[in-house]
Amino acid sequence: MVTQKLEQVETTQSDTRLEQQALAGQFVLEALDVIAAERVKAFLPPMNHIEESNIVDEVLATLFGLGAVERLLADESIENINANGCDIVWVYHANGVKRQAKAIAKSDNELVALIRKAAARLGRNERRFDIANPFLDLKLPDGSRLNTVMSVSERPALSIRRHRHEQVTLHDLCKSGTFDKALQNFLWAVVQARMSIIICGGTNAGKTTLLRALLNACHPDERLITIEDRLELSLAADPNRHRDVIELETRTANIEGLGEITMQQLVRNALAMSPDRLIVGEVRGPEVVDMLAALSTGNDGSMCTIHANSSQAAFSKIATYALRSSERIPVEVTNRMIAESINFVVHLSKDSHGHRQVISVREVIGYSMGEVSSTEVFGPNSSDLNTLLQSSTRERLTSVGFESTVSEQDPKVLNY
């Protein structure tokens, strides 16, 4: 009877997630009462409170979450989770320690079933995870980013990256050592002056965290349109800091191969939504053409992230994506668009100890002989950021208080 009730809760669409969990929890407690009565009849000792609580947690985690993975997600010290099959599980702690954890499912098939349920329930749109669609990217309720594959690997593989400090500011990153006070004030001024920024770096270098901090330096009333493969920025979760936000997310095709929504489509549509700033979570395809076009036609102060090994390499990466687009934009044309639309490239790096740091800031100064002309205004070989900037850039930054923002306060407070 209880099993039938749980199945009914699992398929109910009208109830909210919290209501479903509460209802399922009540049914589990009823089942425990039945079990307790049967143990008394069999002259067996009753389960203690801890055992009952563990059973409730396990059932709810299986029904509404990722089963045993939930116990790892509950550990705030864990930063990343990697599973090579159901029983080879590695966790990475924030202090840099890597250790092997217990199995997260009884079998690979059970793990795949849990992931399929998560794909159907946890995202904004239901996503498929099967042989025809063996890749899945998903944002979990706590903000973590899940990526998993099946069939293309010997065993299903799951990776979860935790995104901490959702309300992070430039001041927070300065305190954590991502950059010094001078660079904090500079980045704040770049945002206030509505100059366009590309954030680049390797995997897990902290690009999204820096992007979120830069956006938190924007005025709360600015209209921000974010475009992501899976929602990570979560700006709408803080209406006090961001009062006018539209979050757009791509969508995969359904079982008939219909209904796919691409990054390129979202970028094009966003231009008709009157954004003050256009934010592309991660550029990695033909949407780069539309993004550059948008930035060069009035959407000042827009931002995006991209995978690149250096601030200089970001230009060639963008040109490569544009060349692969349906328009096949020549490299020279792309470079001219970069020169006309991008002001700064900020490069992040992560060292062997897990410490993330801004190691280069490059200013785009123009276009010459088919190449992007730029100057590294902050980096290993630069000493005075202010003197390396173009005079027009210095004037623009000074107009928003760059030279005067030397207080130990969070710079965003100085703006409003």
Side-chain angles (χ1 to χ4, degrees), residues 363-374:
E363 182 185 10
V364 177
I365 60 176
Y367 172 83
S368 176
M369 300 180 66
E371 300 290 337
V372 177
S373 300
S374 64

Side-chain angles (χ1 to χ4, degrees), residues 19-130:
E19 290 172 341
Q20 288 179 337
Q21 289 179 336
L23 188 58
Q26 182 60 44
F27 291 153
V28 174
L29 292 177
E30 291 179 12
L32 289 174
D33 289 340
V34 174
I35 293 173
E38 291 176 348
R39 291 178 71 90
V40 169
K41 291 179 182 178
F43 301 102
L44 296 173
M47 287 186 292
N48 59 42
H49 176 71
I50 295 178
E51 289 175 323
E52 290 185 346
S53 179
N54 288 339
I55 289 175
V56 173
D57 290 343
E58 184 175 343
V59 171
L60 294 181
T62 301
L63 280 174
F64 299 101
L66 286 167
V69 178
E70 296 294 333
R71 57 178 164 79
L72 299 177
L73 293 174
D75 187 340
E76 291 295 328
S77 71
I78 293 178
E79 192 167 73
N80 294 323
I81 304 168
N82 292 329
N84 309 324
C86 66
D87 54 352
I88 304 177
V89 183
W90 293 95
V91 296
Y92 299 75
H93 292 264
N95 60 5
V97 174
K98 174 183 176 180
R99 67 176 177 84
Q100 191 164 5
K102 296 179 181 178
I104 55 176
K106 294 179 182 178
S107 66
D108 287 352
N109 288 338
E110 181 180 292
L111 177 60
V112 169
L114 285 170
I115 296 170
R116 282 176 178 161
K117 286 185 178 180
R121 286 200 182 112
L122 301 183
R124 176 183 291 181
N125 303 304
E126 181 175 342
R127 301 195 175 211
R128 295 173 55 199
F129 185 58
D130 49 38

Side-chain angles (χ1 to χ4, degrees), residues 51 66 68 107 119 141 144 179 183 205 236 268 325 327 330-331 355 361 384:
E51 289 175 323
L66 286 167
S107 66
S144 300
F179 39 72
L183 195 53
R268 290 178 177 177
S325 67
E327 295 91 344
V331 173
H355 180 238
V361 177
D384 190 344

Side-chain angles (χ1 to χ4, degrees), residues 130-317:
D130 49 38
I131 294 178
N133 295 272
F135 308 104
L136 175 66
D137 276 306
L138 191 67
K139 179 184 176 182
L140 301 181
D142 70 347
S144 300
R145 170 176 164 180
L146 178 149
N147 178 274
T148 185
V149 300
M150 64 175 292
S151 76
V152 295
S153 56
E154 184 177 356
R155 304 181 66 185
L158 176 145
S159 299
I160 295 177
R161 290 171 55 190
R162 311 293 292 274
H163 285 279
R164 304 178 185 279
H165 310 302
E166 287 201 355
Q167 309 306 327
V168 69
T169 65
L170 292 173
H171 184 57
D172 296 330
L173 295 185
C174 180
K175 289 197 299 182
S176 68
T178 303
F179 39 72
D180 61 16
K181 185 68 179 177
L183 195 53
Q184 174 196 0
N185 291 336
F186 169 75
L187 292 173
W188 174 84
V190 168
V191 174
Q192 304 310 308
R194 299 188 60 80
M195 305 184 85
S196 298
I197 305 170
I198 291 178
I199 303 168
C200 66
T203 302
N204 205 24
K207 299 185 295 297
T208 300
T209 299
L210 177 57
L211 176 58
R212 188 179 291 119
L214 291 169
L215 293 172
N216 284 339
C218 297
H219 192 279
D221 289 337
E222 290 191 34
R223 181 168 174 80
L224 307 179
I225 309 295
T226 69
I227 299 164
E228 301 177 88
D229 260 339
R230 55 265 170 193
L231 298 178
E232 294 179 11
L233 291 170
S234 303
L235 302 184
D238 188 359
N240 293 323
R241 195 184 295 268
H242 301 291
R243 300 176 186 139
D244 188 2
V245 177
I246 300 294
E247 298 175 325
L248 305 179
E249 184 182 27
T250 61
R251 187 176 69 196
T252 57
N254 60 21
I255 196 169
E256 290 84 17
L258 304 174
E260 180 184 17
I261 302 296
T262 67
M263 291 280 282
Q264 188 172 24
Q265 289 174 301
L266 292 178
V267 171
R268 290 178 177 177
N269 187 77
L271 300 179
M273 301 174 72
S274 304
D276 289 323
R277 299 181 196 255
L278 185 66
I279 313 301
V280 181
E282 183 179 333
V283 172
R284 49 182 168 182
E287 68 274 5
V288 71
V289 176
D290 298 278
M291 185 198 71
L292 291 175
L295 297 187
S296 61
T297 55
N299 289 277
D300 297 337
S302 296
M303 308 177 200
C304 72
T305 72
I306 192 170
H307 280 274
N309 293 327
S310 68
S311 57
Q312 179 70 50
F315 304 138
S316 57
K317 181 61 74 71

